[in-house]
Amino acid sequence: MNRSSRNALVLASPSLAWLLLFVALPCIFMVVMACLTTGIFGIQFKFTAVNFERLFQSPLYVTLLFKTFRIAIVTTAITLIMAYPLAIFLSRQRPATKGLLLLLLFLPFWIGYVVRTFAWLPILGRAGIINQMLLDLGVINQPVDWLLYNEFAVYLGLVYVYLLFMLLPVFLAIDRIEPALYEAAQDLGASRWRVFTRIVLPMSKPGALSGAIMVFLLTFGAFVTPALLGGASGIMYSNVIAAQFFANNNWAFGSALSTVMTAVVIAFLVGSSRFIGLRDVFLSRAGDRR
Amino acid sequence: MRVALKQSPLQATLLWAYAGLIYLFLYAPVITITLLSFNDSRVVGLPFKGFTLQWFVVVFTRPELVTALANSLVLGIVSATIGAALATLLALAFRRPFPANGLVFYLIIAPIVLPGVVAGVILFVFFGLLKIPLSLWTTALVAHVTWVLPFSFLSLYPVVHRFDRSLEEAAGDLGATRAVVFRRIVLPLIRPGIIAAWLFAFSLSFDEFIRTLFLTGYERTLPVQFWYMIVESLSPEAPAMAVVIIVVSVVTSLAGALVSRRST
């Protein structure tokens, strides 16, 4: 090891020590805990596979894992479709307008997701704005309940909370396209649709992939949105993990559920890295807050 | 129009209309909650029964709410300071070829890619097995620093790579020691980036919820206090408290964005 890389190691060592101690080691503890036995007197240090057997044999947890995966994929697709027209719109604005519109886009996303999710309750609830409007218009006589506490409300909340994570990388990719390219294509007789499919789509693909990875990860781990807006039918995998610690006091089973979730996330990232370098995804995110 | 792409007036109108709908979607809940925070009614919702500031008085006088606000502010300051300091050293290390670069990178982004609940669980189990009791200034602080560290690193990474390395080499050739080079050349160049990373880290810590829920014990931060407030019973002062959280988050993030823009 030469002098400069030894210096680099010295500079990096406080952070790396921190991350090894508080991320890597606790991950190992989680896997160990997932293999311990829960008795009436709490955790016993007897190794067992019973937690994983229970997880995979009960239809409840596997079904919920698939449902959570499905919600994450569908939310990613919805944000992707919503992001493109807006990204194209933004990229066509003059620099000053673009800056202002981008700032206005960032503002709501700077607010924590608990508050932003909560804000939907007085809109969708029984005493909420939508019910009040429908009552005033005479469309309904009684406030309706079905606006909240179902999967639709979860989708709405998730799209609301995570849209920017898709929009930003897609916009940055589209905004980087040289306008001369469009001009050349149109001069050569390409239709607008062809310009979109042959220039905009391929050139924004890395941005779309980055956004998709971020939105998937965030949605897959969602806890607050399903808890506040989902009700009994809208719960997701994170909610049952939390219940093992806050309600059932079964750390071993909670750790087994967490281990499986982590495995799915790692598999997802390994799969994604075949299409895009993870370094590009995370290092390009560095510009998010600008 | 700046861009050469020819678009029909119809297409332009449709895009404007679409953008308008998206902005409405983004702002309607925030505006609603702000209006309801002034509503003189015990029900969180409509009808609007008149203007009052009483819910803000409640928020700023109820001891547990004031404590939660203070906890969040101080925890944010402390974890942003530790996180940004660690991240600055780490980002500087990444300017040179680094042993085990790839693996180290995955370790750094691990707190970002781990689902929030899992990130809470691993530390909860870790401290539980080590018999370390949960509290704001031990376990929750660790969770917050772990959470803000990778984001601070990612926002500093381009900053330390952007500036001209020949400045440093020139100073070194002229006889400056490494310490002088760092203090007189490197630090002034990356200072705005560090401030931006600090503000970013503060706002992440201030808004952090799920990891804190697992690790804070009895001392609550503002988002955790807010959570119990709306989950246990929807208290009428909830919208006012939401507005206070909104103002702090937006102001610090806006400051971070301005500093960061100036540094580029």
Side-chain angles (χ1 to χ4, degrees), chain B residues 3 10 12 14 24 38 44 51-52 80 101-102 104 109 113 131 133 142 149 157 165 176 192 224 233 246 253:
Chain B
V3 176
L10 176 69
L14 281 176
L24 181 70
F38 299 111
V44 178
F51 180 88
T52 177
N101 220 326
V104 168
I109 61 163
V113 300
K131 306 246 185 295
V142 167
L149 173 58
Y157 184 86
R165 289 289 294 277
V224 171
S233 67
I246 290 171
S253 302

mmCIF file of all heavy atoms in Angstrom, chain B residues 3 10 12 14 24 38 44 51-52 80 101-102 104 109 113 131 133 142 149 157 165 176 192 224 233 246 253:
data_model
loop_
_atom_site.group_PDB
_atom_site.id
_atom_site.type_symbol
_atom_site.label_atom_id
_atom_site.label_comp_id
_atom_site.label_asym_id
_atom_site.label_seq_id
_atom_site.Cartn_x
_atom_site.Cartn_y
_atom_site.Cartn_z
ATOM 1 N N VAL B 3 -36.296 26.148 -27.152
ATOM 2 C CA VAL B 3 -35.995 24.834 -27.707
ATOM 3 C C VAL B 3 -36.526 24.763 -29.123
ATOM 4 O O VAL B 3 -37.589 25.287 -29.439
ATOM 5 C CB VAL B 3 -36.624 23.734 -26.828
ATOM 6 C CG1 VAL B 3 -36.392 22.374 -27.441
ATOM 7 C CG2 VAL B 3 -36.044 23.808 -25.451
ATOM 8 N N LEU B 10 -51.743 23.274 -29.307
ATOM 9 C CA LEU B 10 -52.562 22.331 -28.548
ATOM 10 C C LEU B 10 -51.688 21.527 -27.590
ATOM 11 O O LEU B 10 -51.989 21.387 -26.409
ATOM 12 C CB LEU B 10 -53.307 21.391 -29.495
ATOM 13 C CG LEU B 10 -54.114 20.293 -28.779
ATOM 14 C CD1 LEU B 10 -55.306 20.867 -28.037
ATOM 15 C CD2 LEU B 10 -54.569 19.212 -29.754
ATOM 16 N N ALA B 12 -48.739 22.302 -26.435
ATOM 17 C CA ALA B 12 -48.210 23.161 -25.368
ATOM 18 C C ALA B 12 -49.272 23.386 -24.302
ATOM 19 O O ALA B 12 -48.982 23.320 -23.113
ATOM 20 C CB ALA B 12 -47.753 24.487 -25.963
ATOM 21 N N LEU B 14 -51.817 21.460 -23.557
ATOM 22 C CA LEU B 14 -52.027 20.226 -22.807
ATOM 23 C C LEU B 14 -50.936 20.026 -21.750
ATOM 24 O O LEU B 14 -51.211 19.644 -20.622
ATOM 25 C CB LEU B 14 -52.049 19.023 -23.762
ATOM 26 C CG LEU B 14 -53.363 18.807 -24.518
ATOM 27 C CD1 LEU B 14 -53.222 17.635 -25.495
ATOM 28 C CD2 LEU B 14 -54.517 18.548 -23.549
ATOM 29 N N LEU B 24 -51.063 21.171 -8.532
ATOM 30 C CA LEU B 24 -52.238 21.201 -7.659
ATOM 31 C C LEU B 24 -52.225 19.991 -6.724
ATOM 32 O O LEU B 24 -52.449 20.099 -5.511
ATOM 33 C CB LEU B 24 -53.518 21.197 -8.512
ATOM 34 C CG LEU B 24 -54.830 21.246 -7.722
ATOM 35 C CD1 LEU B 24 -55.012 22.599 -7.073
ATOM 36 C CD2 LEU B 24 -56.022 20.935 -8.611
ATOM 37 N N PHE B 38 -55.708 26.889 11.253
ATOM 38 C CA PHE B 38 -56.333 28.109 11.784
ATOM 39 C C PHE B 38 -57.830 27.923 12.038
ATOM 40 O O PHE B 38 -58.537 28.871 12.345
ATOM 41 C CB PHE B 38 -56.148 29.285 10.807
ATOM 42 C CG PHE B 38 -54.699 29.622 10.557
ATOM 43 C CD1 PHE B 38 -54.112 29.378 9.323
ATOM 44 C CD2 PHE B 38 -53.913 30.194 11.562
ATOM 45 C CE1 PHE B 38 -52.780 29.688 9.097
ATOM 46 C CE2 PHE B 38 -52.584 30.501 11.341
ATOM 47 C CZ PHE B 38 -52.016 30.244 10.108
ATOM 48 N N VAL B 44 -60.700 17.864 13.103
ATOM 49 C CA VAL B 44 -59.726 18.146 12.050
ATOM 50 C C VAL B 44 -60.409 17.898 10.718
ATOM 51 O O VAL B 44 -60.556 16.767 10.272
ATOM 52 C CB VAL B 44 -58.478 17.250 12.196
ATOM 53 C CG1 VAL B 44 -57.499 17.524 11.064
ATOM 54 C CG2 VAL B 44 -57.813 17.489 13.537
ATOM 55 N N PHE B 51 -61.560 31.773 12.288
ATOM 56 C CA PHE B 51 -60.105 31.865 12.397
ATOM 57 C C PHE B 51 -59.665 31.865 13.859
ATOM 58 O O PHE B 51 -60.249 32.553 14.692
ATOM 59 C CB PHE B 51 -59.654 33.147 11.700
ATOM 60 C CG PHE B 51 -58.171 33.359 11.754
ATOM 61 C CD1 PHE B 51 -57.349 32.816 10.776
ATOM 62 C CD2 PHE B 51 -57.603 34.108 12.774
ATOM 63 C CE1 PHE B 51 -55.976 33.007 10.820
ATOM 64 C CE2 PHE B 51 -56.224 34.297 12.828
ATOM 65 C CZ PHE B 51 -55.411 33.743 11.852
ATOM 66 N N THR B 52 -58.633 31.087 14.168
ATOM 67 C CA THR B 52 -58.097 31.103 15.518
ATOM 68 C C THR B 52 -56.601 30.781 15.483
ATOM 69 O O THR B 52 -56.128 30.110 14.567
ATOM 70 C CB THR B 52 -58.803 30.069 16.417
ATOM 71 O OG1 THR B 52 -58.177 30.107 17.697
ATOM 72 C CG2 THR B 52 -58.670 28.661 15.867
ATOM 73 N N ALA B 80 -26.185 16.252 12.521
ATOM 74 C CA ALA B 80 -25.693 16.851 11.282
ATOM 75 C C ALA B 80 -24.209 17.192 11.412
ATOM 76 O O ALA B 80 -23.433 17.022 10.466
ATOM 77 C CB ALA B 80 -26.492 18.105 10.927
ATOM 78 N N ASN B 101 -12.406 -0.290 -3.019
ATOM 79 C CA ASN B 101 -13.308 0.806 -3.346
ATOM 80 C C ASN B 101 -14.769 0.367 -3.494
ATOM 81 O O ASN B 101 -15.679 1.002 -2.987
ATOM 82 C CB ASN B 101 -12.827 1.445 -4.645
ATOM 83 C CG ASN B 101 -12.943 2.926 -4.583
ATOM 84 O OD1 ASN B 101 -13.873 3.415 -3.954
ATOM 85 N ND2 ASN B 101 -12.028 3.638 -5.184
ATOM 86 N N GLY B 102 -14.993 -0.729 -4.215
ATOM 87 C CA GLY B 102 -16.357 -1.157 -4.510
ATOM 88 C C GLY B 102 -17.122 -1.561 -3.268
ATOM 89 O O GLY B 102 -18.213 -1.064 -3.003
ATOM 90 N N VAL B 104 -16.474 -0.865 -0.169
ATOM 91 C CA VAL B 104 -16.637 0.293 0.709
ATOM 92 C C VAL B 104 -17.837 1.122 0.259
ATOM 93 O O VAL B 104 -18.638 1.571 1.070
ATOM 94 C CB VAL B 104 -15.345 1.138 0.717
ATOM 95 C CG1 VAL B 104 -15.585 2.484 1.371
ATOM 96 C CG2 VAL B 104 -14.235 0.385 1.428
ATOM 97 N N ILE B 109 -23.531 3.123 1.102
ATOM 98 C CA ILE B 109 -24.930 3.359 0.700
ATOM 99 C C ILE B 109 -25.909 2.429 1.424
ATOM 100 O O ILE B 109 -27.118 2.585 1.297
ATOM 101 C CB ILE B 109 -25.149 3.265 -0.835
ATOM 102 C CG1 ILE B 109 -24.798 1.868 -1.344
ATOM 103 C CG2 ILE B 109 -24.380 4.347 -1.568
ATOM 104 C CD1 ILE B 109 -25.369 1.600 -2.724
ATOM 105 N N VAL B 113 -30.196 2.197 1.237
ATOM 106 C CA VAL B 113 -30.983 1.174 0.542
ATOM 107 C C VAL B 113 -31.733 0.243 1.496
ATOM 108 O O VAL B 113 -32.711 -0.376 1.100
ATOM 109 C CB VAL B 113 -30.121 0.333 -0.438
ATOM 110 C CG1 VAL B 113 -29.492 1.218 -1.488
ATOM 111 C CG2 VAL B 113 -29.060 -0.465 0.283
ATOM 112 N N LYS B 131 -27.660 -4.953 25.791
ATOM 113 C CA LYS B 131 -28.273 -4.407 27.007
ATOM 114 C C LYS B 131 -28.008 -2.904 27.178
ATOM 115 O O LYS B 131 -27.810 -2.420 28.287
ATOM 116 C CB LYS B 131 -27.782 -5.153 28.260
ATOM 117 C CG LYS B 131 -27.977 -6.658 28.194
ATOM 118 C CD LYS B 131 -28.987 -7.128 29.241
ATOM 119 C CE LYS B 131 -29.118 -8.638 29.296
ATOM 120 N NZ LYS B 131 -29.686 -9.205 28.051
ATOM 121 N N PRO B 133 -29.662 0.581 27.127
ATOM 122 C CA PRO B 133 -31.037 1.104 27.124
ATOM 123 C C PRO B 133 -31.239 2.170 26.042
ATOM 124 O O PRO B 133 -30.315 2.907 25.700
ATOM 125 C CB PRO B 133 -31.200 1.693 28.531
ATOM 126 C CG PRO B 133 -29.823 1.914 29.031
ATOM 127 C CD PRO B 133 -28.919 0.948 28.334
ATOM 128 N N VAL B 142 -27.187 7.621 17.414
ATOM 129 C CA VAL B 142 -26.475 6.693 16.526
ATOM 130 C C VAL B 142 -27.284 6.458 15.255
ATOM 131 O O VAL B 142 -26.751 6.518 14.137
ATOM 132 C CB VAL B 142 -26.202 5.346 17.252
ATOM 133 C CG1 VAL B 142 -25.769 4.269 16.260
ATOM 134 C CG2 VAL B 142 -25.139 5.526 18.323
ATOM 135 N N LEU B 149 -25.179 10.264 7.406
ATOM 136 C CA LEU B 149 -23.807 10.145 6.908
ATOM 137 C C LEU B 149 -23.716 9.868 5.400
ATOM 138 O O LEU B 149 -23.023 10.600 4.683
ATOM 139 C CB LEU B 149 -23.068 9.071 7.730
ATOM 140 C CG LEU B 149 -21.670 8.650 7.296
ATOM 141 C CD1 LEU B 149 -20.717 9.837 7.255
ATOM 142 C CD2 LEU B 149 -21.100 7.589 8.233
ATOM 143 N N TYR B 157 -19.394 14.479 -2.333
ATOM 144 C CA TYR B 157 -18.554 13.772 -3.301
ATOM 145 C C TYR B 157 -18.244 14.603 -4.550
ATOM 146 O O TYR B 157 -17.083 14.776 -4.913
ATOM 147 C CB TYR B 157 -19.216 12.442 -3.656
ATOM 148 C CG TYR B 157 -18.417 11.560 -4.575
ATOM 149 C CD1 TYR B 157 -17.459 10.696 -4.076
ATOM 150 C CD2 TYR B 157 -18.632 11.589 -5.950
ATOM 151 C CE1 TYR B 157 -16.728 9.878 -4.915
ATOM 152 C CE2 TYR B 157 -17.909 10.771 -6.800
ATOM 153 C CZ TYR B 157 -16.961 9.918 -6.276
ATOM 154 O OH TYR B 157 -16.239 9.122 -7.116
ATOM 155 N N ARG B 165 -7.126 20.143 -8.848
ATOM 156 C CA ARG B 165 -6.084 19.530 -8.022
ATOM 157 C C ARG B 165 -4.739 20.248 -8.155
ATOM 158 O O ARG B 165 -3.903 20.214 -7.258
ATOM 159 C CB ARG B 165 -5.887 18.056 -8.407
ATOM 160 C CG ARG B 165 -7.033 17.158 -8.000
ATOM 161 C CD ARG B 165 -7.084 16.971 -6.497
ATOM 162 N NE ARG B 165 -5.929 16.252 -5.979
ATOM 163 C CZ ARG B 165 -5.821 14.933 -5.969
ATOM 164 N NH1 ARG B 165 -6.782 14.192 -6.448
ATOM 165 N NH2 ARG B 165 -4.749 14.362 -5.459
ATOM 166 N N ALA B 176 4.372 24.622 0.881
ATOM 167 C CA ALA B 176 3.354 24.557 1.941
ATOM 168 C C ALA B 176 3.260 23.133 2.490
ATOM 169 O O ALA B 176 3.344 22.169 1.736
ATOM 170 C CB ALA B 176 2.004 24.995 1.380
ATOM 171 N N PRO B 192 -18.414 25.867 1.289
ATOM 172 C CA PRO B 192 -19.855 25.961 0.988
ATOM 173 C C PRO B 192 -20.502 24.581 0.829
ATOM 174 O O PRO B 192 -21.645 24.381 1.248
ATOM 175 C CB PRO B 192 -19.889 26.726 -0.337
ATOM 176 C CG PRO B 192 -18.570 27.388 -0.443
ATOM 177 C CD PRO B 192 -17.581 26.534 0.289
ATOM 178 N N VAL B 224 -41.964 11.841 15.952
ATOM 179 C CA VAL B 224 -42.479 10.731 16.757
ATOM 180 C C VAL B 224 -43.636 11.204 17.621
ATOM 181 O O VAL B 224 -44.682 10.543 17.708
ATOM 182 C CB VAL B 224 -41.356 10.116 17.628
ATOM 183 C CG1 VAL B 224 -41.926 9.111 18.618
ATOM 184 C CG2 VAL B 224 -40.310 9.459 16.744
ATOM 185 N N SER B 233 -55.086 9.559 19.013
ATOM 186 C CA SER B 233 -56.353 10.233 18.772
ATOM 187 C C SER B 233 -56.014 11.472 17.979
ATOM 188 O O SER B 233 -55.025 12.123 18.251
ATOM 189 C CB SER B 233 -57.005 10.635 20.098
ATOM 190 O OG SER B 233 -56.227 11.633 20.711
ATOM 191 N N ILE B 246 -43.550 21.836 9.014
ATOM 192 C CA ILE B 246 -43.378 22.251 7.620
ATOM 193 C C ILE B 246 -42.446 23.457 7.540
ATOM 194 O O ILE B 246 -41.509 23.486 6.737
ATOM 195 C CB ILE B 246 -44.749 22.586 6.975
ATOM 196 C CG1 ILE B 246 -45.567 21.309 6.767
ATOM 197 C CG2 ILE B 246 -44.572 23.323 5.650
ATOM 198 C CD1 ILE B 246 -47.000 21.544 6.334
ATOM 199 N N SER B 253 -34.182 23.469 4.443
ATOM 200 C CA SER B 253 -33.875 22.910 3.124
ATOM 201 C C SER B 253 -33.620 24.007 2.108
ATOM 202 O O SER B 253 -32.722 23.899 1.265
ATOM 203 C CB SER B 253 -35.020 22.030 2.633
ATOM 204 O OG SER B 253 -35.264 21.012 3.550
#
